[in-house]
Amino acid sequence: MANNFQPKPEHKFTFGLWTVGSSGRDQFATNDPIRNSLSPADLVRLLGEVGAYGVNFHDNDLIPMDATPAEADKIKKEFRKALDETGLVVPMATTNLFSAAIFKDGAFTSNDPKVRAYALQKAMRGMDLGAEFGAKIYVFWGGREGSETDVAKNPLEGLKHFREALNFLGEYSNSQGYGYKFALEAKPNEPRGDIYLPTTGAMLGFIETLDHPEMVGVNPELAHEHMAGLNFMHAVAQAWDAGKLFHIDLNDQNYARFDQDWRFGQQSWKQSFFLVKFLEEVGYNGSRHFDAHAFRTEDYEGVKDFARGCMRSYLIFKEKARLFNEDKEIQALVAESKAEDKSMDKFLGKFSAEKAAELKAFSFDRNAIAGRGLKYEKLDQMLTDLMLGVR
Ligand code: DIG
Ligand code: MN
Ligand code: MN
C-alpha cells in the first residue's frame, strides 16, 4: 500500500502552543510581529486540522501572567472545548521560567532567594494547570539558569539550588497525586551566555544526585545538542540506555548557529534519519514533540505547511529506515562489517581470573586485523542512494 505519510494519533505527534503560535518575531524584531496571535483554542483547532495527536503548553502560553481568575477560567473553558472538538490530548506541560524580567539572572538558580521562591510558586501553579488537562510529563528547561560571567555566581550553588527545587517539586507532585514524570531539557547557551547542565549527558549525571531520580528523566532537543556540536542520536541513545528518555524535542538546526528551532527534517537529513531509525527500532513510545516554529516569512497557511512538514518528514525517515532494514544487500554489508567472530567469545563479557590470564597470554596478528576493509564507504553511499530516492 503506497505510504502517503499522513499523521495518525498512534504516531503521537505533538506541538507546543508556543510553536504554531509563534508570532514570527525574533530578537532583532521584537515589536513587529509577522503573524497576529491566535487563541489557545484556535491553535488547538489548527493542530487538529493538520493531524496532530496532542498539544503542550507553558503555563503562560495558556494563561497570561496577569490574567484575572475570571479570564483564566474563560480561557481554560474554551481550550477544553477545542480539545473535546478535536480529540487532541495534553501529554506534557511546563513552566515559563525564562521570559519575565524577574528571571533575568535565573529562576531556580537565581542568587536572589525571593526569585527562587517565586519560581517554585510559579512551577507549582504550572504543575496544577498541566494536571488539570491530564499532562503526565513535566518539562524543566532552565533557559535562564546560568551566567554571562561567573564573577558573582557559583555553579556549585546553582546545582544545589536546582537540585533543591526539583526535590521540592517532586515531593509536591507526589503530595498532589499528580504522578508526573519530570523531563529535564538541556541547552548549552542562549539566552544565557552559558546555561548550567548544558547537554543531555550532563543532565543524566545530575539526575542521579536527586532525592527521587526514578521520577526524573530527560527531554533531549535536536537543536540544543547540535548547538553543542554533538551527535543527537548518540545523546538520545545514552538517555534510552539509562531508561531516562521521558520525552523528546524534535526540530532542526544548522551546527554552530543560534537556536534555530527549524521544521524537523529541514536541514539535517542524515542525523534525523538515524534518530528516527533509532526511536522506531527501540520502540520509543513517548510523544514525538516538535519544538520548532515556522520561518518568519510565513503566514498561518505557512505555519500549517510547517506543522505538516514536521510530521511528514518524520514518517518519510521512518519509511526509509524500514527500506534500509529490509534491503538485503545493505543488511548483508552491515552483517559483514560487524564481523561476528565467535573465537573471541571466550575472552569477552564478564571478568574471570582464568579469562584474564588466557587473554593476556594470547597473541594477536595486529596487522591482519588492522588491514581488514570495513566497506563503510560502500554502505554509506547505499544509504545516500536510498535517502535520495535512487535505490
Ligand atoms: C525550548 O527549547 C524549551 C522551551 O520551549 C520549553 O520549556 C521546552 C519544552 O519543549 N523547550
Ligand atoms: Mn530550542
Ligand atoms: Mn525544547
Side-chain angles (χ1 to χ4, degrees):
M1 185 264 282
N3 189 335
N4 58 6
F5 309 114
Q6 283 307 305
K8 298 190 186 84
E10 73 238 31
H11 298 136
K12 293 195 176 179
F13 292 135
T14 64
F15 292 81
L17 284 175
W18 70 92
T19 66
V20 287
S22 161
S23 68
R25 67 163 53 101
D26 58 34
Q27 69 163 335
F28 298 103
T30 48
N31 303 315
D32 193 6
I34 294 290
R35 301 182 284 268
N36 59 309
S37 60
L38 294 182
S39 71
D42 285 342
L43 290 170
V44 168
R45 291 186 188 97
L46 182 153
L47 288 172
E49 182 187 337
V50 299
Y53 158 76
V55 61
N56 309 309
F57 55 75
H58 298 86
D59 49 351
N60 301 135
D61 299 332
L62 187 59
I63 311 292
M65 278 186 96
D66 300 321
T68 64
E71 287 163 343
D73 285 345
K74 183 169 177 296
I75 292 167
K76 287 193 285 186
K77 215 162 117 213
E78 288 163 1
F79 183 66
R80 167 87 59 200
K81 183 165 168 291
L83 291 174
D84 294 343
E85 277 167 25
T86 58
L88 262 73
V89 292
V90 181
M92 178 272 274
T94 183
T95 329
N96 186 323
L97 295 174
F98 46 86
S99 295
I102 189 172
F103 299 127
K104 63 189 178 186
D105 188 30
F108 298 138
T109 68
S110 168
N111 276 344
D112 183 340
K114 283 195 284 303
V115 176
R116 297 202 297 272
Y118 172 70
L120 276 179
Q121 177 196 76
K122 197 169 192 287
M124 283 192 285
R125 289 176 176 168
M127 290 166 68
D128 297 343
L129 185 62
E132 207 176 319
F133 289 97
K136 288 296 176 194
I137 299 286
Y138 207 80
V139 163
F140 292 86
W141 171 61
R144 297 283 180 193
E145 313 300 3
S147 67
E148 284 70 46
T149 167
D150 296 316
V151 69
K153 297 199 78 174
N154 178 339
L156 284 179
E157 269 180 24
L159 290 169
K160 173 175 164 288
H161 290 146
F162 193 35
R163 181 180 304 116
E164 278 171 1
L166 289 172
N167 288 340
F168 184 102
L169 294 167
E171 296 294 354
Y172 178 69
S173 173
N174 293 339
S175 71
Q176 297 292 104
Y178 287 158
Y180 274 126
K181 286 168 72 173
F182 289 175
L184 308 186
E185 179 175 338
K187 187 177 181 182
N189 60 70
E190 190 201 26
R192 296 308 299 262
D194 288 295
I195 297 179
Y196 293 144
L197 298 168
T199 65
T200 294
M203 286 293 187
L204 289 170
F206 177 70
I207 286 168
E208 296 315 312
T209 71
L210 300 174
D211 288 352
H212 296 287
E214 71 286 352
M215 67 181 283
V216 186
V218 289
N219 175 42
E221 175 169 321
L222 186 151
H224 299 175
E225 299 298 318
H226 278 204
M227 285 171 70
L230 299 174
N231 180 312
F232 183 56
M233 188 269 279
H234 292 182
V236 169
Q238 186 185 355
W240 178 266
D241 180 65
K244 294 291 184 183
L245 186 63
F246 287 7
H247 197 262
I248 195 166
D249 274 4
L250 299 175
N251 49 23
D252 212 341
Q253 172 75 33
N254 207 337
Y255 281 94
R257 295 287 191 288
F258 62 91
D259 191 1
Q260 293 168 318
D261 288 342
W262 279 341
R263 182 183 82 253
F264 183 65
Q266 195 261 0
Q267 166 82 22
S268 323
W269 289 3
K270 207 169 177 180
Q271 295 92 323
S272 304
F273 164 81
F274 284 124
L275 186 270
V276 171
K277 181 172 182 289
F278 178 85
L279 292 178
E280 295 302 321
E281 284 176 353
V282 297
Y284 168 69
N285 193 30
S287 295
R288 276 78 170 159
H289 174 234
F290 297 107
D291 185 6
H293 45 73
F295 298 137
R296 179 172 161 77
T297 52
E298 304 307 292
D299 59 12
Y300 273 107
E301 285 313 306
V303 169
K304 292 178 201 171
D305 294 337
F306 148 80
R308 291 188 186 103
C310 286
M311 298 183 282
R312 180 178 171 81
S313 293
Y314 186 100
L315 293 174
I316 293 172
F317 290 132
K318 181 178 174 182
E319 172 64 6
K320 292 291 183 183
R322 184 186 68 81
L323 294 173
F324 182 92
N325 288 336
E326 291 182 5
D327 186 304
K328 292 198 176 10
E329 196 185 354
I330 286 177
Q331 291 309 312
L333 266 185
V334 169
E336 198 182 318
S337 70
K338 287 211 163 87
E340 282 306 315
D341 178 351
K342 294 286 173 213
S343 70
M344 290 292 112
D345 287 0
K346 63 185 176 189
F347 292 143
L348 301 173
K350 263 183 92 50
F351 171 84
S352 76
E354 298 70 29
K355 190 183 280 190
E358 202 184 332
L359 179 52
K360 282 177 75 176
F362 189 83
S363 66
F364 290 93
D365 180 347
R366 286 204 315 276
N367 294 331
I369 296 168
R372 188 168 74 88
L374 301 180
K375 297 196 175 67
Y376 287 173
E377 285 290 355
K378 184 173 181 184
L379 194 47
D380 198 66
Q381 184 59 44
M382 289 162 100
L383 172 60
T384 300
D385 288 8
L386 184 71
M387 296 284 286
L388 298 181
V390 298
R391 181 177 179 85

